[in-house]
Structure formats: C-alpha cells, structure tokens
Amino acid sequence: MENKLTHFDKEGKAIMVDVSEKEDTSREATAKGKVIMKKETLNLIKNGEMGKGDVLGVARVAGIMAAKQTHNIIPMCHPLMITKSQVDFSIIEEENAIEVIGIVKTTGKTGVEMEALTAVSAAALTIYDMCKAVDKKMTICDVHLYKKTGGKSGNFIHEK
Amino acid sequence: MENKLTHFDKEGKAIMVDVSEKEDTSREATAKGKVIMKKETLNLIKNGEMGKGDVLGVARVAGIMAAKQTHNIIPMCHPLMITKSQVDFSIIEEENAIEVIGIVKTTGKTGVEMEALTAVSAAALTIYDMCKAVDKKMTICDVHLYKKTGGKSGNFIHEK
Amino acid sequence: MENKLTHFDKEGKAIMVDVSEKEDTSREATAKGKVIMKKETLNLIKNGEMGKGDVLGVARVAGIMAAKQTHNIIPMCHPLMITKSQVDFSIIEEENAIEVIGIVKTTGKTGVEMEALTAVSAAALTIYDMCKAVDKKMTICDVHLYKKTGGKSGNFIHEK
Amino acid sequence: MENKLTHFDKEGKAIMVDVSEKEDTSREATAKGKVIMKKETLNLIKNGEMGKGDVLGVARVAGIMAAKQTHNIIPMCHPLMITKSQVDFSIIEEENAIEVIGIVKTTGKTGVEMEALTAVSAAALTIYDMCKAVDKKMTICDVHLYKKTGGKSGNFIHEK
Amino acid sequence: MENKLTHFDKEGKAIMVDVSEKEDTSREATAKGKVIMKKETLNLIKNGEMGKGDVLGVARVAGIMAAKQTHNIIPMCHPLMITKSQVDFSIIEEENAIEVIGIVKTTGKTGVEMEALTAVSAAALTIYDMCKAVDKKMTICDVHLYKKTGGKSGNFIHEK
Amino acid sequence: MENKLTHFDKEGKAIMVDVSEKEDTSREATAKGKVIMKKETLNLIKNGEMGKGDVLGVARVAGIMAAKQTHNIIPMCHPLMITKSQVDFSIIEEENAIEVIGIVKTTGKTGVEMEALTAVSAAALTIYDMCKAVDKKMTICDVHLYKKTGGKSGNFIHEK
C-alpha cells in the first residue's frame, strides 16, 4: 500500500529506514522558503548587503553549516556525505520578503531533501535572529521541497 | 536610533552581542508554526497518535532536543541554560494542518525566542521527514514568535 | 601476535586505526543490554506504552540518534555512514527488566559494533533518566555485542 | 502521588521538566559501572597503564568529554554547567573486571546523575572499543548511580 | 608549589578541575594570531572585503561559532555561558599577513582564555581553507593569549 | 585563471564547492605546528610522559577527535569519512617547543588538509589549556600543511 509511513516498522515503532541495499546514485534537492518582514527591516538588510551589517552573509553560512548537521537534528535522517551545499537569497519587494533557496547534492543511498530543507530553515531563523531587535513579527513561511532529482522515487518538482 | 541591527558592531561586522551587563532574569518564549499537508497524510498521523507510527512523538523529541542546539545552529545566539522545553501539537482539521507550539524557559541574560523558534522548526521538519514518502508537497509556514515575557525589552505578543 | 591492541601504534600511542585499504562491505551488528528496576517502575513503563508517558518511545529515539554520534563519543571510532539504526525493547517480567536491542548496518570499511553498543547504552540511560524520580536504584547491565556479520574478522555471535 | 514519571505532562506527553523555580544549589553525583573481560585482556590493559597502550587514559578522556555531551544524548536532560568531571578506574582482579567511577559536580537547578552515568557509560564503551580486537565478549554491567548530594530530593546512596 | 599542572590529580590522572567553590565573576580574554600568506593571496582577500568573495566574513562567523564549541574540542575545558564573542581582522601589509583577534566574555567560575584562542584558531583555519586553492603554503602563527581580566589569578597581558 | 578563490560562486557568494563529479580516490595529508613554551613547562610535560600527568596523551585524543569535527568547525568543509587519524609529538629541546604532527587519510572526493590542520590546532590548544596555569605565554606557531598526496591537484610538500 502506497500510503505507508516508511519511518516505522510493522509494529509501528520508529526506525531509521534500512537503505543498505540501495545503490549509490547522484542526488540533488532544492528547497525554498520565505521570511516576511516589515519594509523597514527589508531595507536594513538590503543596505547591509553592500558590506556592512551583512545579515544574508551570516545567514548563508548558517544554512550551509546546518545542512551538515541535518542527521543530528532530524532523528530518522541518515548521515550522508554532502558534496555540495549552497544557499541563495532573492528579495521579493512586493511581499516585503526574502526568499531563501537551499541546494544540496550528494552521491549516496538516500536523498538530500531534508538537508536542503534544514539549510533553508536555519538560514531563515538566522535572518530572524539578526533582525529581531527591530522586527519581532517576522514570519517564516512556504518552506517546501521545490525540486529533487536522482534516487529510486525519481524526479519531483513542486511549483507554488 | 531604534532601527539598528544589534548583531553588528559600528563598522558593520557581525558580533555576538555583549550581554555581560544584563541581569539574570526569568524569561519565556512561545513560538508557533504550521505544517500543511494532504488530508490523507493528516489522517495517517492522527492514526499514529494511538500508539503505532507515532510521528508526533518523534517530532516532539526532535523539537525539544533542537532547542538545546540552537546556539550551534544560529551563529550569533548565546549559549544558555534552558530550564524548560516543551513542544505541543494541535490538529487543524479545516486547514489539513498540524500546528506546532514550542515553549522554552530560562533564567539568564538573554531571551529564548530563538530556542522556541528552533524547536518549532525542527519538529516541523521531522514531521516532513517522516511523512515525505507519502506527501512531498507538505509545506511549513507561519513560523513566528507568538509570545515572550521577561527581559529588558518587555513582554510581547503576536496574534495572527 | 593475536593479543595486540589495535588502537595503539608500535610505540604504544593511541591511534585511529588505518582502514584505508579495507574494502567497503556490508556490515551489521546487534548489541543487547538490560535495565533492571523495581516492579512498580516496570509497570509504569508498560502502562506508558499505551500512548501516554511513552518512556520507550523517547528512549528509542535517543538510541537511534546516539548511534549517529558514536564517533564523537568514542575517541578512536571512525565516522561512518549508517544505513540502518533500530532500537527494540522487550519486557522480561521475571527479572523486572527491560531488554534493549540495538541493530545497526552500514556499507563501509569498518564495523558497526560500537554504534550498536552506543545505541543500547543511550536508550538505557534515557530509560533511567525518565524513571529516576521514582526509582534511583535502576541498574544497566549485560551490555554486550550479541552478533556481528560482515568484515574481515568474520561473523560472531555471543549468546549469554 | 509519588510514582509519577516527571518527564511527562498531564496528557502523557514527553517534556523537559520545568526547573525554572528551583534554586541554584551545589550538587554532586557519583556513578559506577564495570567492564568484565578475559584475564588476558585485563592483563593487556594493566600493562598499558605503564605508559604504552594506555587504554584507561583514553577512556578517561572519553568519559570526561561525554559528561559535557549528556544533554545532547539524553533527550529530556537539561543543559548545565559542569564544574567538575572526573573518571577513575579500579582493577577488580577476582572478577577480571575494571570498575569505572564517574564523579560530576555542578552548581545549578538540576542534578548531575545523568552526567555521571553518561561519563561511566562512555568510558566503559571506550574500553570495549579499544580491546574488542582481542575480546569481543566483554560485557558492561552494574552501571548505577552510587551517590548523589544536593538538590531538593536530598542525599542518596546505593551500595551494591 | 607553583609549577603544578592543575589538570591532573595527585596520582597524575587527567581531570576537569573542580571549580565549584569559585565565585561567578566577570571575565574577559583576548587572543591573537596571524595567517601569513603570499602577497597575491592577501590581495584576493582584501578585494573580497568589498562584498564579493568575503573570506573574512565567513572566517568571522567560524570563529564566533567555534568559541561556543570550545568545551567539546578541548577535553578538560568547562562548559560556560559566553556572554560575548567577537572576532576581528587586521591586515599587516608588510608581513603579508592577516592578524586575527578574538575577544570573549563570560560571567562565571572559569576564564575564557581557551574560548578566545579557539575562536582565533578556527577563524585562521577558515582563512586557510578558503584560500588553499591558490596558496597551500599559508602558515598560522603567533597564536597566543594577549590579555585576560577577571578571576582569581588576576589580570594578564602579553605584548609580543 | 589560477588565482580564483574556489569557495565563492561567480557573484562572490560563499559556497561549499560542488565535488559531486570528482572521483573517490585515496588521499592523505600531514600538517605540522609547534607550541613554544618556557623550559620549565617543557620539563613538566616531559616528566608527565612517564605516566603521570600525561599532557600529550590527552592532547593526542583531542587532536584525533577534532579531525572528525572539522566540517562542523570550518564552514565550507565537506563532511568526509576519515579512514585514519594520527597525532604525534616531538620535543624540540633547543626551541623549548613541542612539534605537533597530524596525519589524516580518507578515500573520497576531497582532500583531508583541513582535517590534518584541525587535528594539529586542537592538540596544540589542549597543550596550552593543560599548562596555562604555569605558563600563560605559550605560543602556537608554524601551523602549516606539510604534505598532501592524492586528488586532482596532485602531491604537495612544504618543507620549512
């Protein structure tokens, strides 16, 4: 039955899924999310990009490093050897938002969806942390898997 | 000037803010967020609560543990001694969503907003991880600071 | 000479053994251990399995996550990519004990004995932690490698 | 009612207990455990103490460091500021065993029982790791809280 | 006798020093170090400061975060609650070097010398990592404690 | 152009370099560094080697363990599966110095230069920590990559 939650055994106990028999293949995942804020906050961040008060520079490092910690944050995630981790930002003026994009690659037995999502979440949280003194109402939303290639379940794309 | 980003020094370089002179006070923060999914996925999770395939039980542990890792995930966060960490879930049938609520307390020199937000994010990501085999389009949204008490900046509430 | 401790070089200095020349093979290890307690404590845990106060659910997550941290806890352990981590419990009524069973798999150059033993130890410690308010005299015992397959040293089984 | 498991809320959900209202007091805990092995293995370890192949020196470091990681291994443990961590060993010739003793102190709102027990477990596992090439049947047993002072629940001693 | 190594007990066994009886006082430490490189490498880094290829921005984050990990890297270091962590860089043209300065503060029972030194080392290593494709011969030198205030052993300054 | 800093993309943003297309090859790196101290301090350490107060034994464990943490300390480092980690010391009487040598091996897509350098730095910092009560002016210097084999950029040696 296709609806089975794979992270549980037959008795309903949580397990880290056995991927021993899976082949090492090239896998990539892209996740996206948004941080919505006041226009003044967005302006402060945009000014910082010019070299002083570089919020996005710090958030990028946070996201890249968090991808490597995914298996210590998400209990049932397998450890894996990330071969690329990238975090980009794009300003969405009309929504007073910053889009966060995380791209992770590996060659291994499991995908890197959670690593990409974790990178996006950590970068977004870091933006919140660095701006919370001026804008406590910032909201993180639309964190989702945008694209995934490689692996047995095949390619996937989720346009919102 | 009130709009200053506190995580940078006068030259615009990132710093962990000096809180040495702040007093130890009792502080609490509550953060909230939602995981939106297919009705079928929500039903699978609800069935699991009865003891088999307990997605929320695992996500709760993930959130509680992640709160303790906040200062290793968010670069400018101070380490602090959490005195309470709690993660609750509430089913929102009409939105096919699970609301995640994180409550963190400490007695210290800085607040626990980021700890509460990190707990919510990690719990939400764990829900995604455990259900992604059946629903890759789940989305994490509305992650925000709901309430905060204690500390010099005073109390704060953000009803959405 | 067969009795040589492999974790030291010729001068007796501790080293992480060089496994570079070893082949990647499929390896599996099962470790077991017991937590002995008062009958009342065991009853409390058994009642919790029904969905409220699920000690073993939390201990299972702790064990699975600890397996991934083995190389950071045991100094000379190699990091490796666990492909499966599973923790089971079985109630031994006549001994007022809970048996903890940890099963770990990998495809790699070294075995996963320490990962399985670490999973069992962490799960047992978590049981202790969650019940210590009612039973400080609980004891963890019989933690041992039960079975191991794969690798140059061949298969091994240790029935007690 | 005295039998309540404190790590769960009224609805039976796991929580990190709220210790905010507790006072900072001086606390100390001593845990003990044993590693039972072949006589030949014990002799190898004893010879190593003389400076070459110092199994116990490495295990001591592992135990001291693991105490600091307790709150990342045991899900509901509070982070706390250890003020002392010590690991000792004593050879029990007649049992072909090494006794491991862990002593941890803090000044804080919660006790250090789990830190002492984790130190003992990590040191014992490290002994296993370093000797497993010659003795896979080693067994870790009798891991228990030996003594605890400070805190509201008062002093405790457990002679075996 | 003044020459005693404090990190060992009377029998010469490594211990984390007992600081339970020490008072919580305000403490600060500054460490310094240098990364020496080719003129071309230094020029590349200086150009990056203008906003693209910001080596020092990444190294700063690495240093600040590493200070928080000190007690997990240095075995006998006590965990403590850093209240400030700052990493600065200064270009020394005539030596083709970048000076790294780490400043850490806490209110606690032990000093933050190791935290400041660890911050400097991690920032220096990150500079090496990010430039090693063009200059493998970079050298990290003169890593030393520059200044320390607070604590029983009093103030200290080390001008080189 | 040979002078490009590889850890940045075309727009100058920090990235973890994509090594997905690289082949798994056998790689080894040796790093060296020195800790310079007072003659009295060196003598204390030398005496400790005889079994009591073994500073270098603890520093060796610290270096070996830190190599495994490299990707969590250096932001753009890839996680990789170390197959060997070794830390040696050599006394340089005429300089009142201890030379620290770190050797790390892997079979993978990226080199282990940073792992070897991190092992040396952590071991040197641990020597500082354990002797700082008697000699606060110790200095860590000459930390450099001594040798590297394997990988596309070929072999490298740096005699000083």
Side-chain angles (χ1 to χ4, degrees):
Chain A
M1 207 192 96
E2 115 185 271
N3 264 359
K4 205 170 144 287
L5 295 182
T6 51
H7 279 294
F8 297 97
D9 66 11
K10 283 171 200 167
E11 296 168 55
K13 292 169 189 162
I15 51 164
M16 188 198 283
V17 180
D18 187 350
V19 298
S20 309
E21 302 306 312
K22 286 181 148 185
E23 293 202 23
D24 282 328
T25 61
S26 182
R27 291 148 188 277
E28 179 168 350
T30 303
K32 294 186 174 179
K34 277 181 204 168
V35 187
I36 298 172
M37 59 193 74
K38 292 190 293 188
K39 178 166 278 314
E40 294 79 357
T41 313
L42 187 62
N43 286 337
L44 277 170
I45 293 175
K46 282 162 61 183
N47 293 339
E49 277 197 298
M50 307 310 148
K52 288 186 183 289
D54 185 6
V55 170
L56 300 186
V58 177
R60 178 178 289 115
V61 176
I64 290 172
M65 292 185 85
K68 296 186 269 187
Q69 283 305 318
T70 303
H71 63 286
N72 292 328
I73 299 171
I74 315 293
M76 303 301 148
C77 267
H78 297 81
L80 46 75
M81 303 226 289
I82 290 174
T83 52
K84 173 187 172 171
S85 178
Q86 182 180 336
V87 174
D88 289 320
F89 303 100
S90 118
I91 309 280
I92 309 181
E93 293 282 359
E94 62 276 22
E95 302 182 37
N96 292 326
I98 294 173
E99 188 179 46
V100 186
I101 302 122
I103 306 173
V104 179
K105 291 176 77 170
T106 196
T107 304
K109 295 177 191 304
T110 55
V112 281
E113 296 95 309
M114 295 317 301
E115 281 72 14
L117 286 162
T118 300
V120 166
S121 297
L125 288 167
T126 300
I127 293 174
Y128 188 98
D129 180 45
M130 300 191 82
C131 299
K132 70 179 189 291
V134 301
D135 187 358
K136 281 187 184 49
K137 295 194 175 175
M138 282 174 290
T139 300
I140 298 170
C141 57
D142 266 347
V143 177
H144 66 285
L145 178 66
Y146 170 67
K147 203 169 76 170
K148 153 186 188 308
T149 59
K152 201 173 129 199
S153 76
N155 297 352
F156 165 87
I157 191 151
H158 181 195
E159 315 255 19
K160 296 202 78 157
Chain B
M1 209 195 92
E2 114 183 89
N3 264 357
K4 206 171 146 287
L5 295 182
T6 50
H7 279 294
F8 297 98
D9 65 13
K10 283 171 198 165
E11 296 168 55
K13 292 169 190 161
I15 50 165
M16 188 198 286
V17 179
D18 187 350
V19 297
S20 310
E21 302 306 313
K22 287 182 149 184
E23 293 201 24
D24 282 328
T25 61
S26 181
R27 292 149 188 276
E28 179 168 350
T30 303
K32 292 186 175 180
K34 276 181 206 167
V35 187
I36 298 172
M37 59 192 73
K38 292 190 292 188
K39 180 167 280 309
E40 293 79 358
T41 313
L42 188 62
N43 286 337
L44 278 171
I45 292 175
K46 283 161 61 184
N47 293 339
E49 275 197 298
M50 307 310 148
K52 290 189 180 286
D54 185 6
V55 170
L56 301 185
V58 177
R60 178 178 290 116
V61 176
I64 290 172
M65 292 185 83
K68 296 186 269 187
Q69 284 305 318
T70 303
H71 63 286
N72 293 327
I73 299 171
I74 315 294
M76 302 301 149
C77 267
H78 297 81
L80 46 75
M81 302 226 290
I82 291 173
T83 52
K84 173 186 172 172
S85 179
Q86 181 180 337
V87 174
D88 288 321
F89 302 100
S90 119
I91 308 280
I92 311 181
E93 293 282 358
E94 62 277 20
E95 303 182 37
N96 291 326
I98 293 172
E99 188 179 45
V100 186
I101 302 122
I103 307 173
V104 179
K105 291 176 77 171
T106 195
T107 303
K109 296 176 190 304
T110 55
V112 281
E113 297 95 308
M114 295 316 302
E115 281 71 14
L117 286 161
T118 300
V120 166
S121 296
L125 288 167
T126 300
I127 293 174
Y128 187 98
D129 180 45
M130 299 191 83
C131 300
K132 68 179 191 292
V134 299
D135 188 357
K136 284 188 181 51
K137 295 193 173 175
M138 281 174 290
T139 300
I140 298 169
C141 57
D142 266 346
V143 178
H144 67 284
L145 179 65
Y146 169 68
K147 201 169 77 170
K148 149 187 191 307
T149 59
K152 202 173 130 199
S153 76
N155 296 354
F156 165 87
I157 191 151
H158 181 196
E159 315 255 19
K160 295 202 79 159
Chain C
M1 207 193 95
E2 113 184 271
N3 262 358
K4 207 170 146 287
L5 295 182
T6 50
H7 279 294
F8 297 98
D9 66 11
K10 284 173 200 164
E11 297 168 54
K13 291 168 188 162
I15 51 165
M16 188 199 285
V17 180
D18 187 350
V19 298
S20 309
E21 302 305 313
K22 286 182 150 183
E23 292 202 24
D24 283 328
T25 61
S26 183
R27 292 149 188 277
E28 180 168 349
T30 302
K32 293 185 175 180
K34 276 182 204 167
V35 187
I36 297 172
M37 60 192 73
K38 293 189 293 188
K39 180 165 279 310
E40 293 79 358
T41 313
L42 187 63
N43 286 337
L44 277 170
I45 293 175
K46 283 161 62 183
N47 293 339
E49 275 197 299
M50 308 310 148
K52 287 187 182 288
D54 185 5
V55 171
L56 300 185
V58 177
R60 179 178 287 117
V61 176
I64 290 172
M65 293 186 83
K68 296 187 269 188
Q69 283 305 318
T70 302
H71 63 286
N72 291 328
I73 299 171
I74 315 293
M76 303 302 149
C77 267
H78 297 82
L80 46 76
M81 302 226 289
I82 290 173
T83 52
K84 172 185 172 172
S85 179
Q86 182 180 337
V87 174
D88 288 321
F89 302 100
S90 117
I91 309 280
I92 310 181
E93 293 283 357
E94 62 276 21
E95 304 182 36
N96 290 327
I98 293 173
E99 189 179 45
V100 186
I101 302 122
I103 307 173
V104 178
K105 291 175 78 171
T106 195
T107 304
K109 296 176 191 303
T110 54
V112 282
E113 296 95 308
M114 295 316 301
E115 281 72 14
L117 286 161
T118 300
V120 167
S121 297
L125 288 167
T126 300
I127 292 173
Y128 187 97
D129 180 44
M130 300 190 83
C131 299
K132 69 179 191 290
V134 299
D135 187 358
K136 282 188 182 51
K137 294 194 173 174
M138 280 174 291
T139 300
I140 299 170
C141 57
D142 267 346
V143 178
H144 67 284
L145 179 66
Y146 169 69
K147 201 169 78 169
K148 150 185 190 308
T149 59
K152 204 173 125 197
S153 76
N155 296 354
F156 165 87
I157 192 152
H158 181 196
E159 315 256 18
K160 296 200 81 158
Chain D
M1 208 194 94
E2 114 186 88
N3 263 358
K4 204 168 147 290
L5 295 181
T6 51
H7 279 294
F8 297 97
D9 65 11
K10 284 172 200 165
E11 296 168 55
K13 292 170 189 160
I15 50 165
M16 188 199 284
V17 179
D18 187 350
V19 298
S20 309
E21 301 307 312
K22 287 181 149 185
E23 292 202 25
D24 282 330
T25 60
S26 183
R27 291 148 188 277
E28 180 168 349
T30 303
K32 293 186 175 180
K34 277 182 205 168
V35 187
I36 298 172
M37 59 192 75
K38 292 190 293 189
K39 179 165 279 313
E40 293 79 358
T41 312
L42 187 63
N43 286 337
L44 277 170
I45 292 175
K46 283 162 61 183
N47 293 340
E49 275 197 299
M50 308 309 150
K52 289 188 182 287
D54 185 5
V55 170
L56 300 185
V58 177
R60 179 178 288 115
V61 176
I64 290 172
M65 293 185 83
K68 296 187 268 187
Q69 284 305 319
T70 303
H71 62 287
N72 292 328
I73 299 172
I74 315 294
M76 301 303 148
C77 267
H78 297 82
L80 46 76
M81 302 227 289
I82 290 173
T83 52
K84 172 186 172 172
S85 179
Q86 182 180 336
V87 174
D88 289 321
F89 302 100
S90 121
I91 308 281
I92 309 181
E93 292 283 359
E94 64 276 20
E95 301 182 37
N96 292 325
I98 293 173
E99 188 179 46
V100 187
I101 303 122
I103 306 172
V104 179
K105 291 176 78 171
T106 195
T107 303
K109 295 176 191 304
T110 55
V112 282
E113 297 95 309
M114 295 317 302
E115 281 70 15
L117 287 162
T118 300
V120 167
S121 297
L125 288 167
T126 300
I127 292 174
Y128 187 98
D129 181 44
M130 300 191 82
C131 300
K132 69 179 190 290
V134 300
D135 187 359
K136 282 187 183 52
K137 294 193 174 175
M138 281 174 292
T139 300
I140 299 170
C141 56
D142 265 347
V143 178
H144 66 285
L145 179 65
Y146 169 68
K147 201 170 77 170
K148 149 185 190 309
T149 59
K152 202 173 128 200
S153 76
N155 297 353
F156 166 87
I157 192 150
H158 181 196
E159 314 256 19
K160 295 204 80 158
Chain E
M1 211 192 93
E2 112 184 271
N3 263 357
K4 204 169 147 290
L5 295 182
T6 51
H7 279 294
F8 296 98
D9 65 13
K10 283 171 198 165
E11 296 167 54
K13 292 170 190 161
I15 50 165
M16 188 198 283
V17 179
D18 187 349
V19 297
S20 310
E21 301 305 312
K22 287 181 147 185
E23 292 202 24
D24 283 328
T25 62
S26 182
R27 293 149 188 277
E28 179 168 349
T30 303
K32 292 186 175 180
K34 276 181 204 167
V35 187
I36 298 172
M37 59 192 74
K38 292 191 293 188
K39 180 166 279 314
E40 293 80 359
T41 313
L42 187 62
N43 287 337
L44 278 171
I45 292 175
K46 283 161 62 183
N47 293 339
E49 277 198 299
M50 307 311 149
K52 289 188 182 287
D54 185 5
V55 170
L56 300 185
V58 177
R60 179 178 289 115
V61 176
I64 290 171
M65 292 185 84
K68 295 186 270 187
Q69 283 305 318
T70 302
H71 62 287
N72 293 327
I73 299 172
I74 315 293
M76 302 301 148
C77 268
H78 297 81
L80 45 75
M81 304 227 289
I82 291 173
T83 52
K84 173 186 171 171
S85 178
Q86 181 179 336
V87 174
D88 288 321
F89 302 100
S90 120
I91 308 281
I92 310 180
E93 291 283 359
E94 62 276 20
E95 302 181 38
N96 291 326
I98 293 174
E99 189 179 46
V100 186
I101 303 120
I103 307 173
V104 178
K105 292 176 78 170
T106 195
T107 303
K109 295 176 190 304
T110 55
V112 282
E113 297 95 310
M114 295 317 301
E115 281 71 15
L117 286 161
T118 300
V120 167
S121 296
L125 288 167
T126 301
I127 293 174
Y128 187 97
D129 180 45
M130 300 192 81
C131 299
K132 68 179 192 291
V134 300
D135 187 358
K136 282 188 183 50
K137 295 192 173 176
M138 282 174 290
T139 300
I140 298 170
C141 57
D142 266 348
V143 177
H144 67 284
L145 179 65
Y146 169 68
K147 203 170 75 171
K148 147 185 193 309
T149 59
K152 201 173 130 199
S153 76
N155 296 353
F156 165 87
I157 191 151
H158 181 196
E159 314 255 19
K160 296 203 79 159
Chain F
M1 208 193 95
E2 111 184 273
N3 263 358
K4 205 170 148 288
L5 295 181
T6 49
H7 278 294
F8 297 98
D9 66 13
K10 283 171 199 165
E11 296 168 55
K13 290 168 190 162
I15 49 165
M16 188 199 285
V17 179
D18 187 350
V19 297
S20 310
E21 301 306 312
K22 287 181 149 185
E23 293 201 23
D24 282 328
T25 61
S26 183
R27 292 147 189 278
E28 180 168 349
T30 304
K32 293 185 174 181
K34 276 180 205 168
V35 187
I36 297 172
M37 59 193 73
K38 292 191 294 188
K39 180 167 278 314
E40 293 79 358
T41 313
L42 188 62
N43 286 337
L44 277 171
I45 292 175
K46 283 162 61 183
N47 293 340
E49 276 196 298
M50 307 310 148
K52 288 188 182 287
D54 185 6
V55 171
L56 301 185
V58 177
R60 179 178 288 116
V61 176
I64 289 172
M65 292 186 84
K68 296 186 269 188
Q69 283 305 319
T70 303
H71 62 285
N72 291 328
I73 300 171
I74 316 294
M76 302 301 149
C77 268
H78 297 82
L80 45 76
M81 302 226 289
I82 291 174
T83 52
K84 172 186 172 172
S85 179
Q86 182 181 336
V87 174
D88 289 320
F89 303 100
S90 118
I91 309 280
I92 309 181
E93 293 282 0
E94 63 276 20
E95 302 181 38
N96 291 326
I98 293 173
E99 188 179 46
V100 186
I101 302 121
I103 306 173
V104 179
K105 291 176 78 170
T106 195
T107 303
K109 295 175 190 305
T110 55
V112 281
E113 296 96 309
M114 295 317 301
E115 280 73 13
L117 286 161
T118 300
V120 166
S121 297
L125 288 167
T126 300
I127 293 173
Y128 187 98
D129 180 45
M130 299 192 82
C131 300
K132 69 179 191 292
V134 299
D135 188 358
K136 282 188 183 50
K137 295 193 173 176
M138 281 174 291
T139 300
I140 299 170
C141 57
D142 267 347
V143 178
H144 67 284
L145 179 65
Y146 169 68
K147 203 169 76 171
K148 149 187 190 308
T149 59
K152 201 172 129 199
S153 75
N155 296 353
F156 166 87
I157 192 152
H158 181 197
E159 316 255 17
K160 297 203 77 159

